[in-house]
Amino acid sequence: MTGFHYQHGVLHADDVALPAIADAVGTPTFVYAAGAIERNWTRLADALTPLGVGIAYALKANSNQAVIATLARLGAGADVVSGGELTRALAAGVTADRIVFSGVGKTADEIAQALKAGIHQLNVESIPELDLIDRVAGEVGLRAQVALRVNPDVDAGTHAKITTGRKDNKFGIDLEDAAAAWARAASLPNLEPVGLAVHIGSQLLDLAPYRAAYRRLADLVNALRAQGQAVTRLDLGGGLGVGYRGETGPDLEEYAALVHATVGGLGCSLMVEPGRYLVADAGCVLTRVLFVKEGGARRFIILDAGMNDLLRPALYDAFHAVVPVNQAPPNATLHPADIVGPVCETGDTFAKARELPPLEAGDLVALLHAGAYGAVMASTYNTRPLAAEVLVAGSKFETVRLRQTVEALLSAERLPSWLESPGDHGQRRRSTG
Ligand code: LLP
């Protein structure tokens, strides 16, 4: 809960009381604490920069430009997975030479965009992708520096939907095919294979899978070098977990030590691609209780935030702490409640039988650890406009994404010509019928 703390009984982000944000911006709103982002960055950078490991922030966790710019100013590069994220990274001030483009399905247009922008490297996940990058690089008259993302066949021991480094996952090139893929890349005129990349999954609290994966990576570097290939860069992926339930996250000193022990002696330039670790605990969803519904068997707290705003509980059964913005007195009796949103699905449930102090309609509540994979995964399901986003820095706060309006949401839609004027349509039917 590093980004949020109680001060005089009221939940604050850095030095700003959350009710002030609710009054100014309304609810539901994602609130991010720049101070917490900075603390997370400093902890990670302190552990890794002495080893010369560069940090490319995985934008997918939270790609609000204010968040990217906060990290870019601290020295972060960017890991992007689409042309859209590349555009965001550049717009937020990340220089092209610090951007890596990952992802299993890049289009020719995205590859051209990345090459023209002059990014640091494309991480390639298949032979057909190598061929496409070579073709596009030829067309735009540039040489592409690529790293091969390999699949080390290591189980990260995390949620099945976010584990990526097992052989049956769609990601990366199998270890046993890597030498052939490298040889192919080296044979193509517009490609320069420079390194290897690996990413075994997300929300890792146990470091053992990293050790196993990095050892396999080191073995592969040695095998490629024995064949005369020049492997100079290693991208070690992201995945460092956070304590959603208050558990301690991975020990960064231990992580740094295992990086050093497994791949530190290879003479490669090293980088990592963390997303969640940098931003998860720096964000919350600030939401208001609409109703308290006492059912026969259960008590439902119905919020004005729904699964369209924060999808993680519905999609992964993910745990997010739910805390009242006005702190309950220490002697308050806790009662189990189901915390739900207004969306018309039973899956729109943030927590079941959660022990909470009394809450009433109108009370503000915060869903914690929503800084990563929160706003970026939001949808407009049930025609619920995307929530506002606010960045706090010290005692200041500003809206960094306006609340979407229903008008804006509808504005991209068109009626086909035959439905444009229901009155005319009716007449036409009558006249021809
Ligand atoms: N690099 C690659 C190639 C990735 O696929 C990912 C995450 C990352 C880096 C950053 O991983 P992180 O450090 O954030 O764990 N929506 C899910 C998480 C999906 C992660 C996808 N890839 C969730 O809400 O838990």
Side-chain angles (χ1 to χ4, degrees):
M1 192 167 159
T2 59
F4 300 89
H5 58 277
Y6 288 105
Q7 224 170 291
H8 307 299
V10 179
L11 196 63
H12 281 60
D14 287 355
D15 298 327
V16 175
L18 294 187
I21 296 176
D23 288 348
V25 183
T27 53
T29 291
F30 283 89
V31 179
Y32 310 126
I37 298 176
E38 207 171 313
R39 280 194 293 280
N40 292 339
W41 169 266
T42 305
R43 237 182 287 124
L44 194 59
D46 283 355
L48 294 178
T49 33
L51 299 178
V53 181
I55 303 174
Y57 167 56
L59 250 65
K60 61 173 79 69
N62 185 327
S63 57
N64 186 293
Q65 288 183 67
V67 171
I68 305 169
T70 300
L71 283 161
R73 298 228 176 143
L74 292 167
D79 167 54
V80 304
V81 291
S82 68
E85 282 194 352
L86 173 56
T87 304
R88 278 181 184 277
L90 292 168
V94 184
T95 53
D97 61 347
R98 311 214 52 201
I99 299 178
V100 171
F101 196 150
S102 305
V104 72
K106 305 174 191 73
T107 66
D109 283 350
E110 288 176 321
I111 293 164
Q113 181 191 354
L115 293 174
K116 287 185 198 154
I119 69 162
H120 180 61
Q121 130 191 335
L122 287 136
N123 289 353
V124 180
E125 304 219 9
S126 65
I127 304 267
E129 189 189 344
L130 279 175
D131 292 343
L132 178 62
I133 297 174
D134 179 62
R135 200 194 81 207
V136 174
E139 281 163 13
V140 297
L142 292 165
R143 214 171 138 76
Q145 296 202 314
V146 298
L148 300 185
R149 175 172 174 183
V150 293
N151 183 323
D153 196 20
V154 167
D155 190 342
T158 182
H159 190 284
K161 285 187 181 160
I162 54 174
T163 196
T164 53
R166 284 176 19 180
K167 223 173 175 161
D168 55 356
N169 300 139
K170 68 179 173 181
F171 299 98
I173 296 168
D174 286 348
L175 278 182
E176 51 274 27
D177 299 333
W182 188 290
R184 174 156 192 97
S187 74
L188 292 169
N190 307 306
L191 289 193
E192 184 191 351
V194 291
L196 299 171
V198 74
H199 171 79
I200 54 174
S202 197
Q203 181 55 13
L204 273 78
L205 292 173
D206 175 14
L207 294 175
Y210 281 119
R211 191 182 296 277
Y214 297 169
R215 278 199 184 128
R216 289 184 184 180
L217 201 60
D219 289 346
L220 179 59
V221 171
N222 290 326
L224 287 170
R225 285 181 174 167
Q227 294 173 13
Q229 311 290 14
V231 186
T232 60
R233 298 182 194 167
L234 291 181
D235 176 344
L236 303 173
L240 291 169
V242 299
Y244 285 96
R245 296 169 184 269
E247 62 277 52
T248 30
D251 179 336
L252 295 184
E253 295 306 324
E254 206 182 307
Y255 178 68
L258 85 79
V259 167
H260 181 66
T262 51
V263 294
L266 295 168
C268 289
S269 74
L270 302 176
M271 60 168 285
V272 290
E273 306 168 344
R276 187 188 320 263
Y277 183 84
L278 293 171
V279 292
D281 69 359
C284 79
V285 180
L286 178 59
T287 164
R288 211 178 270 286
V289 176
L290 292 176
F291 303 107
V292 177
K293 178 168 149 179
E294 305 280 353
R298 307 189 80 85
R299 188 164 70 108
F300 294 100
I301 310 278
I302 303 169
L303 304 178
D304 67 1
M307 64 187 282
N308 70 298
D309 301 300
L310 181 65
L311 183 61
R312 302 191 72 257
L315 190 58
Y316 314 117
D317 289 323
F319 178 96
H320 284 264
V322 181
V323 297
V325 167
N326 288 302
Q327 196 170 22
N331 56 355
T333 335
L334 304 184
H335 292 290
D338 287 4
I339 316 295
V340 302
V343 169
C344 303
E345 291 205 19
T346 302
D348 186 23
T349 297
F350 293 115
K352 283 195 112 136
R354 192 71 64 83
E355 294 288 338
L356 280 176
L359 283 167
E360 291 173 13
D363 286 351
L364 289 170
V365 160
L367 310 176
L368 299 182
H369 281 102
Y373 305 110
V376 285
M377 292 177 71
S379 77
T380 57
Y381 187 37
N382 280 201
T383 306
R384 292 171 45 81
L386 296 177
E389 293 172 66
V390 162
L391 184 67
V392 174
S395 55
K396 297 186 297 242
F397 72 88
E398 285 186 23
T399 300
V400 294
R401 186 194 154 96
L402 298 177
R403 185 177 307 286
Q404 192 179 35
T405 61
V406 173
E407 294 70 41
L409 210 161
L410 295 189
S411 68
E413 294 175 26
R414 299 286 180 275
L415 280 180
S417 56
W418 63 89
L419 292 177
E420 250 164 22
S421 166
D424 290 355
H425 181 66
Q427 269 173 7
R428 236 185 341 261
R429 269 182 50 186
R430 269 196 299 280
S431 63
T432 54

